[in-house]
Amino acid sequence: MPATLEVESTLTDRYQTTVPETVRRALRLSKRDKIHYTIRPGGEVVLTRADASDEDDPVLGAFLGFLARDVASHPERLQAMDAGLVQRLQALTGGIEVDLDALLSPDDE
């Protein structure tokens, strides 16, 4: 059975606290992540990482996490895009308007 770790944090005058590093690591929390609290009848509070909301794309989130880890561990791999590629991308996408809040058609889903 794994050992139980116990840590403390202090509430500020505004009832805020810093989540201790050991807890952040155990829950794999990053900045802006949400925390879920379960309050049990005896007064015990269980802190867990909140599940991604329905609006979050788990595949995109995993991919962006992969990119972030790769950039952090291998910054030497980053390369600037040359002006020719930028111009080509602008020529291909220039003038295209996208409504990110619009629903997809049934054919596009």
Side-chain angles (χ1 to χ4, degrees):
M1 181 171 170
T4 300
L5 296 176
E6 295 185 20
V7 294
E8 295 180 354
S9 64
T10 303
L11 285 176
T12 67
D13 292 337
R14 296 179 62 196
Y15 297 99
Q16 296 175 335
T17 190
T18 299
V19 178
E21 180 184 7
T22 53
V23 175
R24 292 192 312 264
R25 275 190 278 134
L27 297 178
R28 296 182 328 274
L29 293 172
S30 299
K31 292 179 181 177
R32 311 311 261 168
D33 282 346
K34 294 186 184 281
I35 298 171
H36 178 83
Y37 300 88
T38 303
I39 303 169
R40 296 191 174 157
E44 182 181 50
V45 177
V46 178
L47 180 79
T48 56
R49 180 186 175 121
D51 291 333
S53 71
D54 292 340
E55 296 177 10
D56 292 340
D57 182 335
V59 174
L60 180 60
F63 178 68
L64 293 175
F66 163 76
L67 288 178
R69 287 187 303 277
D70 190 58
V71 168
S73 58
H74 300 287
E76 72 280 0
R77 294 180 183 169
L78 292 176
Q79 297 179 12
M81 293 187 345
D82 69 7
L85 178 58
V86 173
Q87 289 174 347
R88 183 162 183 252
L89 290 171
Q90 288 173 338
L92 291 170
T93 60
I96 296 175
E97 292 186 26
V98 177
D99 181 0
L100 296 176
D101 294 321
L103 295 175
L104 294 174
S105 70
D107 293 337
D108 292 333
E109 287 193 23

